[in-house]
Amino acid sequence: MYTVWLVARDSRTPLHTKILAFVVGAYAFSPIDLIPDFIPVIGYLDDLLIVPAGIWLVIKMTPKIVIHENRERARLHHSTPISRVAAGVIIGLWLYAIAVSIYLWGY
């Protein structure tokens, strides 16, 4: 996943691939799923299918040299990437969901 994050930030990556990489990364780290995880078996299916398929697609759409260089960078760099923007978006979505829930509960 770190390689996909690096590919998304690489200037040689095509724009449509960057967008897909950001969407896959955001979905992978987002607590909000298409199918809620509390639904037995089916809840985890989206995580087991969508994220790997997205990563595979990003790798297939990215030039081989970009993948190779970013895999090497990921291997040498052992820290976890931190995206304050992504964290802010996820926190904002949760706050919005809570506010809507409180509003709807009140009526």
Side-chain angles (χ1 to χ4, degrees), residues 10-32:
D10 195 306
S11 62
R12 298 169 294 170
T13 303
L15 180 61
H16 60 281
T17 306
K18 283 184 179 194
I19 292 169
L20 179 62
F22 280 119
V23 168
V24 169
Y27 185 79
F29 294 114
S30 173
I32 301 168

Side-chain angles (χ1 to χ4, degrees), residues 49-71:
L49 296 175
I50 293 173
V51 173
I55 291 170
W56 176 81
L57 193 55
V58 167
I59 290 171
K60 290 295 178 187
M61 293 171 62
T62 305
K64 300 281 184 229
I65 188 70
V66 175
I67 289 292
H68 177 70
E69 289 176 9
N70 284 302
R71 277 186 178 156

